[in-house]
Amino acid sequence: MASSQTVSNPDVNSSHSRESKRKKRRKIVDAGEIEQQTSLDQSRWRTDTEQQIYSSKLLQALRHVRRSNDNPSPVNAGRAVRETADRVLAVTAKGRSRWSRAILSGRLSLRLSQINKKHKKAKLNSGNIKSKKPAAKKRLPALQRKVRVLGRLVPGCQKLPFTNLLEETNDYISALQMQIKAMTFLTGLLSAGGAGSVAAHPDRLG
């Protein structure tokens, strides 16, 4: 009786094998869909539609900034344009990438860092902290140093694995290239005919 129970049932084994094959097929299909989605995300910045959407949003945001700041200095005006262009670029990305989410949350992070700096200064002024010699830093390999620099250049990507960092970098570079094209086109259009020409011909954006 015990020996008959230990004998495996062929029908059960065949059903298990079929189920395992189905799971493997699902994994292959899911991996293919993820790879296809990644390539689509990287190529969408090169489309005229994406550039037109970004250009129209950027123009509206710049008009709002200009109305809110009557007489800004050249330095403040340039900073405002740069921050607005980056913020609109992150909004156009719809939070699908890590760098876009980092730009959108940048104001909160900046405010928190300012608060932390104030607390650190207060502790140093209290005189309770003993001075310590800085520990000797180990020199990293050349490739690892370059990866760290690249992680600092792409917003929000300092602690990403190398493969994810490359994906974010490719997407970020494509977005910046589209941003440059859109801003160059808007600059030429505004200098030639003023803001009225853009409002009269919104289809020419991009």
Side-chain angles (χ1 to χ4, degrees), residues 88-100:
V88 174
L89 187 66
V91 170
T92 308
K94 299 179 181 178
R96 295 171 183 166
S97 55
R98 191 181 183 92
W99 62 263
S100 62

Side-chain angles (χ1 to χ4, degrees), residues 155-198:
C157 297
Q158 292 190 22
K159 298 181 181 180
L160 279 185
F162 184 64
T163 53
N164 295 357
L165 176 60
L166 289 181
E167 292 177 2
E168 290 283 338
T169 303
N170 288 334
D171 188 68
Y172 186 54
I173 291 174
S174 300
L176 289 178
Q177 289 173 342
M178 187 274 298
Q179 183 189 59
I180 293 171
K181 285 180 61 178
M183 295 185 73
T184 303
F185 180 81
L186 281 178
T187 302
L189 196 62
L190 291 173
S191 60
S197 63
V198 180

Side-chain angles (χ1 to χ4, degrees), residues 110-151:
L110 179 61
R111 179 58 182 161
L112 291 176
S113 64
Q114 290 174 351
I115 294 173
N116 290 333
K117 285 181 181 178
K118 289 182 180 179
H119 287 305
K120 287 180 180 179
K121 286 182 180 179
K123 289 182 179 179
L124 289 173
N125 292 332
S126 62
N128 294 328
I129 301 177
K130 296 180 180 179
S131 59
K132 295 181 180 179
K133 293 183 180 179
K137 294 183 179 180
K138 294 182 180 179
R139 188 169 180 82
L140 297 173
L143 179 60
Q144 195 169 352
R145 290 200 304 272
K146 292 178 180 179
V147 170
R148 283 197 173 186
V149 172
L150 181 61

Side-chain angles (χ1 to χ4, degrees), residues 69-81:
N69 299 325
D70 295 333
N71 295 314
S73 64
V75 176
N76 292 334
R79 186 185 300 114
V81 170

Side-chain angles (χ1 to χ4, degrees), residues 27-77:
K27 289 181 179 179
I28 294 173
V29 171
D30 293 341
E33 289 177 353
I34 292 171
E35 185 177 357
Q36 184 180 7
Q37 185 67 30
T38 304
S39 62
L40 289 174
D41 287 342
Q42 292 175 1
S43 63
R44 67 191 178 90
W45 297 111
R46 301 183 181 94
T47 62
D48 293 337
T49 303
E50 202 71 29
Q51 183 179 339
Q52 183 177 349
I53 293 171
Y54 173 74
S55 300
S56 60
K57 288 183 178 180
L58 177 60
L59 186 62
Q60 294 174 4
L62 290 176
R63 284 172 177 168
H64 178 72
V65 170
R66 186 176 181 181
R67 285 195 298 267
S68 59
N69 299 325
D70 295 333
N71 295 314
S73 64
V75 176
N76 292 334

